[in-house]
Amino acid sequence: MIRLKNTVIIFIIVGLLLIAAACGKKADDADQAFTEEPEIKHTVSAFGVVKASEKKNITIDFPAVLEQLMVKNGQRVVMGEELVVLNVDEYMRQTRNKELELSMAKLELERLSRESGKTANDLELARKAHAAALEELQKKDTLYQEGAVTLADLQSYQRTVDEKEKAVKNLELALGSGDDAPEIRMQKSRIALLENDLSWMKSRFNKSYLRDNVIISDLENAVVYDIGYAPGDPLSEGKKVLSLLDFDSLIIEADVSEEFIGEVNLGAPVAITALADYNRVYNGEVTSIAGITIDKRGETIVPVEIKILDNDGSLLPGFNVDVEIERQF
């Protein structure tokens, strides 16, 4: 009987100890829960729009016709993808005509050079003839002084010398004052102009977005927009054919109220939520704060640019977003 009472007492004591331990653990858990209250992050809320910081206008500055349009507005394209096929037959004809004109000009220069060579030989012979005539005139003058020839004979030979001198001057004029005759210098200038024109015509094809007669994307990841022509349309020189938006340059342009702009710093973390999908939050950081305010819907705001750190392709240009910028105290 005594042993049974002792056993009951032991069970009661163990029970009390277990109850006390359980109460202590609950108290500790309560204290820990109280002391580990989650940190509250203070943020600046703003409205923003997804935009591209890099855009490219595709223009053609030579005669062409849009033969085939291979994309549509809003289509995603990659590097080297074909966008537009052009008919450039007219410009190719103009280029070939310029090449032919240049070839003919070079042939004419060769002809003039050959004739100039003959003229140079003629000039050398004329100068020798003139020198010989002068020498003979001096002899005639000596004979005249001696009475061996008449004045008429002397004057007649003087006219011969004058004619030979005139022939020398005419040939010198034909050859010009330099190494080339005037006609040769003019022809060389014409050839230089034709070569410049032809080089310029060919250089108009030297564009990163042109491959022969095809317009291609020269951006790694882009979106086509603002197509200005349809198949069969002649292209206006210098007028934009279409534009490419660099998808890899997407940013958020947010409107921060002037009241809170002092709490926004460069590099501040940003949480981005698209109105199209509130279940997905993107990470970003402030990369630019405008140095001027603008009035928007009656409110004074400061434009802030935010870099998207983890865009998975779901954020599209033109999307409206809400941003939460961590305050910097």
Side-chain angles (χ1 to χ4, degrees):
M1 191 67 173
I2 294 174
R3 185 179 298 173
L4 179 61
K5 287 182 179 180
N6 290 338
T7 301
V8 172
I9 293 171
I10 290 172
F11 277 126
I12 292 173
I13 293 172
V14 171
L16 292 174
L17 289 174
L18 290 174
I19 293 172
C23 292
K25 186 175 184 302
K26 288 183 179 179
D28 291 341
D29 290 343
D31 291 342
Q32 186 175 2
F34 180 77
T35 57
E36 293 182 359
E37 183 178 349
E39 180 183 355
I40 298 175
K41 292 185 178 180
H42 299 279
T43 61
V44 173
S45 300
F47 173 80
V49 178
V50 179
K51 294 185 177 182
S53 59
E54 299 293 336
K55 301 176 183 178
K56 188 166 195 174
N57 293 330
I58 304 298
T59 59
I60 299 298
D61 55 358
F62 52 82
V65 175
L66 196 153
E67 191 169 272
Q68 185 177 0
L69 186 60
M70 307 181 73
V71 291
K72 58 185 178 181
N73 282 319
Q75 182 172 330
R76 295 275 293 272
V77 294
V78 297
M79 177 71 76
E81 187 169 344
E82 295 185 351
L83 311 178
V84 175
V85 178
L86 301 174
N87 183 322
V88 295
D89 291 347
E90 172 60 23
Y91 194 64
M92 290 296 96
R93 184 189 65 79
Q94 294 178 13
T95 303
R96 288 192 297 271
N97 287 344
K98 187 65 68 173
E99 290 174 334
L100 179 60
E101 189 178 358
L102 177 59
S103 297
M104 296 298 292
K106 288 181 176 179
L107 289 174
E108 177 64 12
L109 177 61
E110 291 178 4
R111 185 189 69 80
L112 291 172
S113 296
R114 287 194 299 269
E115 291 185 357
S116 176
K118 294 178 181 178
T119 302
N121 291 333
D122 292 343
L123 176 59
E124 184 178 357
L125 293 174
R127 284 172 175 168
K128 289 180 179 180
H130 180 242
L134 281 174
E135 186 177 349
E136 188 64 26
L137 179 62
Q138 290 176 354
K139 293 179 180 178
K140 294 286 185 183
D141 184 64
T142 300
L143 291 174
Y144 170 73
Q145 297 297 331
E146 295 175 351
V149 297
T150 65
L151 178 62
D153 290 336
L154 181 63
Q155 291 175 339
S156 175
Y157 206 78
Q158 178 66 55
R159 286 193 293 273
T160 300
V161 171
D162 291 342
E163 289 174 359
K164 292 184 180 300
E165 182 180 5
K166 183 178 180 181
V168 170
K169 289 182 178 179
N170 287 339
L171 288 170
E172 287 177 341
L173 183 63
L175 284 173
S177 57
D179 296 332
D180 294 332
E183 294 89 347
I184 291 179
R185 292 200 301 273
M186 289 178 61
Q187 192 66 12
K188 285 183 176 180
S189 297
R190 180 167 178 264
I191 289 173
L193 289 174
L194 289 171
E195 288 176 334
N196 288 336
D197 288 346
L198 185 59
S199 177
W200 174 73
M201 291 178 74
K202 291 182 176 181
S203 70
R204 297 165 93 177
F205 271 92
N206 295 334
K207 299 183 185 298
S208 58
Y209 50 80
L210 271 180
R211 186 170 61 206
D212 297 327
N213 65 318
V214 179
I215 297 176
I216 62 172
S217 171
D218 59 347
L219 297 176
E220 291 288 350
N221 189 12
V223 178
V224 177
Y225 74 100
D226 203 15
I227 299 174
Y229 294 91
D233 289 345
L235 304 184
S236 300
E237 294 184 30
K239 182 181 176 182
K240 180 177 68 175
V241 180
L242 53 84
S243 295
L244 291 177
L245 183 152
D246 188 350
F247 203 82
D248 292 332
S249 71
L250 293 185
I251 60 167
I252 306 295
E253 188 173 285
D255 298 337
V256 178
S257 173
E258 64 173 332
E259 180 182 357
F260 303 108
I261 195 62
E263 299 172 1
V264 175
N265 289 342
L266 292 175
V270 183
I272 305 164
T273 306
L275 271 62
D277 183 8
Y278 269 103
N279 295 319
R280 176 75 165 87
V281 178
Y282 299 87
N283 296 308
E285 67 176 14
V286 176
T287 57
S288 175
I289 302 172
I292 189 172
T293 62
I294 61 175
D295 183 77
K296 206 166 191 179
R297 296 182 295 273
E299 181 183 5
T300 302
I301 62 100
V302 178
V304 171
E305 285 188 6
I306 298 169
K307 179 180 179 181
I308 308 168
L309 300 178
D310 54 357
N311 188 5
D312 58 0
S314 299
L315 284 177
L316 302 179
F319 267 17
N320 297 314
V321 297
D322 288 329
V323 298
E324 297 289 335
I325 307 170
E326 286 192 22
R327 293 186 180 185
Q328 307 293 307
F329 295 100

